[in-house]
Amino acid sequence: MSILPLTLTFFSLVFLASSVLPASVVNPNLPHDAFTASKRFEGSSELVNLRYHMGPVLSSPINIYLIWYGKWLPAQKLLIKDFLLSISTTKRRAASAPSVSDWWKTVTLYTDQTNANISSQILIAGEYSDRKYTHGTHLTRLTMQDVIATSVQSAPFTVDHKNGVYLILTSDDVTVQDFCRAVCGFHYFTFPSKVGYTLPYAWVGNSGKQCPEVCAYPFAVPGYMGNGGPRSLAPPNGDVGVDGMISVIGHELAELASNPLVNAWYAGEDPTAPTEIGDLCEGLYGSGGGGGYIGQVMKDGSGRTFNMNGRRSRKFLVQWIWSPVLKACAGPNALD
């Protein structure tokens, strides 16, 4: 889940959706007999009870305000921004299939009670860098909101309570409550007493030096999987921590868009511990995935692993999202 944690277990009950994939696919960790005749993972999607709870979704164009907490390299910032800007692309800048923008189309299938779809338009509306660690090198869920308050009070950007979402990204030397132990990221909303408004926000941390085997899987694997288990895969952009973050950012952003105030799309009866559209497909990156296998993905000429293309010839490995239409985990690189 991601209102509180991004769950750290592999979701083994999954159902894969249909699309088109170029011929050069690979997953050295995938058993040859992993596919059924339809290339779907065994099981029944009727067991997934994802429901709409009448709350809003982000149907207006989404303004993302980036908060870089700690020390970030320019190349790391550019990589993350390229992913975010790959979600909304013009025809002139469109990436080849399978693309990040194709991946986001699954998210836009979710609607509110007026039948308005989640927006396909995402803009980076502002950035704020806190290289001084104003709130320390350890953050809690509550002090995370102080970080947002400081950023809007510092005036690089203002409070955008209509279209704004705030994305806090902590560097690899910042520890966060429950990070690595129970969460890789989470989303929630700010309290008016903290920030002045109710603002949807998400946090994702760079696990590169703290727990890459937990939060940057499959670019690092736990030690207990070393004997006969899956091997780590090469990250598409050569940065285990940041490449791992990008999938978590995608996970959180999809859930933030579909459940911004914890009263829209989720499974389960407890809104404080929901199962959301990213949770249902966690650990799945391609057809045949489930039970710890990521599914069929691609490799470039350097052996780096990816499943979708972005702007400026970028490549990313991003988890799939649950489709309300197919009642299945859907991704642009699906085989059938």
Side-chain angles (χ1 to χ4, degrees):
M1 109 183 74
S2 305
I3 285 181
L4 294 179
L6 168 61
T7 314
L8 302 181
T9 58
F10 296 113
F11 188 81
S12 59
L13 180 61
V14 295
F15 317 91
L16 308 182
S18 299
S19 185
V20 178
L21 181 68
S24 57
V25 297
V26 64
N27 185 351
N29 300 322
L30 188 69
H32 294 297
D33 59 353
F35 294 123
T36 63
S38 67
K39 302 185 182 67
R40 294 171 179 266
F41 189 79
E42 303 288 348
S44 170
S45 60
E46 294 178 358
L47 297 176
V48 176
N49 185 26
L50 182 73
R51 294 191 300 113
Y52 176 55
H53 295 79
M54 304 307 289
V57 300
L58 299 184
S59 57
S60 298
I62 301 168
N63 293 334
I64 296 180
Y65 294 88
L66 290 171
I67 301 172
W68 305 98
Y69 193 85
K71 293 182 173 62
W72 289 88
L73 297 174
Q76 293 176 320
K77 289 184 176 182
L78 184 59
L79 176 55
I80 291 172
K81 289 191 289 185
D82 276 343
F83 169 69
L84 295 172
L85 293 173
S86 295
I87 294 174
S88 301
T89 57
T90 64
K91 288 185 178 180
R92 182 173 64 85
R93 288 188 164 187
S96 59
S99 69
V100 175
S101 58
D102 291 335
W103 168 81
W104 187 258
K105 287 177 182 178
T106 299
V107 181
T108 66
L109 295 174
Y110 289 88
T111 61
D112 63 15
Q113 56 186 309
T114 69
N115 210 34
N117 293 80
I118 290 174
S119 178
S120 62
Q121 299 302 309
I122 291 181
L123 171 71
I124 296 177
E127 297 180 62
Y128 173 71
S129 294
D130 188 342
R131 294 178 59 86
K132 296 182 178 179
Y133 305 87
T134 302
H135 298 279
T137 57
H138 176 76
L139 300 176
T140 67
R141 294 183 184 277
L142 279 178
T143 58
M144 200 71 70
Q145 298 199 23
D146 293 328
V147 172
I148 298 174
T150 297
S151 67
V152 298
Q153 292 164 5
S154 299
F157 46 75
T158 58
V159 171
D160 183 351
H161 63 280
K162 292 184 178 179
N163 298 330
V165 298
Y166 295 78
L167 179 56
I168 305 169
L169 303 171
T170 51
S171 56
D172 58 13
D173 56 346
V174 176
T175 59
V176 175
Q177 179 184 0
D178 294 329
F179 187 30
C180 295
R181 185 186 63 81
V183 299
C184 298
F186 65 79
H187 75 87
Y188 205 60
F189 53 84
T190 62
F191 305 141
S193 60
K194 283 278 190 181
V195 184
Y197 292 90
T198 299
L199 304 172
Y201 76 92
W203 158 76
V204 178
N206 185 341
S207 68
K209 293 182 179 178
Q210 299 183 50
C211 58
E213 73 284 356
V214 175
C215 293
Y217 183 90
F219 306 132
V221 299
Y224 65 81
M225 298 176 71
N227 296 323
R231 299 182 302 276
S232 61
L233 302 179
N237 300 285
D239 189 320
V240 169
V242 177
D243 275 310
M245 284 183 75
I246 284 171
S247 187
V248 183
I249 290 170
H251 177 123
E252 297 301 337
L253 192 58
E255 295 183 343
L256 189 64
S258 58
N259 196 27
L261 300 181
V262 202
N263 58 1
W265 288 95
Y266 62 88
E269 301 303 321
D270 183 0
T272 66
T275 299
E276 299 176 274
I277 67 172
D279 302 323
L280 290 168
C281 304
E282 188 177 334
L284 286 177
Y285 299 84
S287 296
Y293 293 108
I294 69 169
Q296 291 280 49
V297 293
M298 294 171 282
K299 279 189 175 182
D300 65 14
S302 300
R304 295 179 176 182
T305 310
F306 68 102
N307 66 348
M308 58 189 74
N309 300 300
R311 71 194 296 262
R312 300 191 325 116
S313 300
R314 292 283 200 186
K315 299 182 186 302
F316 304 102
L317 186 69
V318 183
Q319 72 150 87
W320 284 11
I321 297 296
W322 186 264
S323 166
V325 174
L326 299 171
K327 299 189 186 313
C329 292
N333 61 310
L335 285 172
D336 63 341

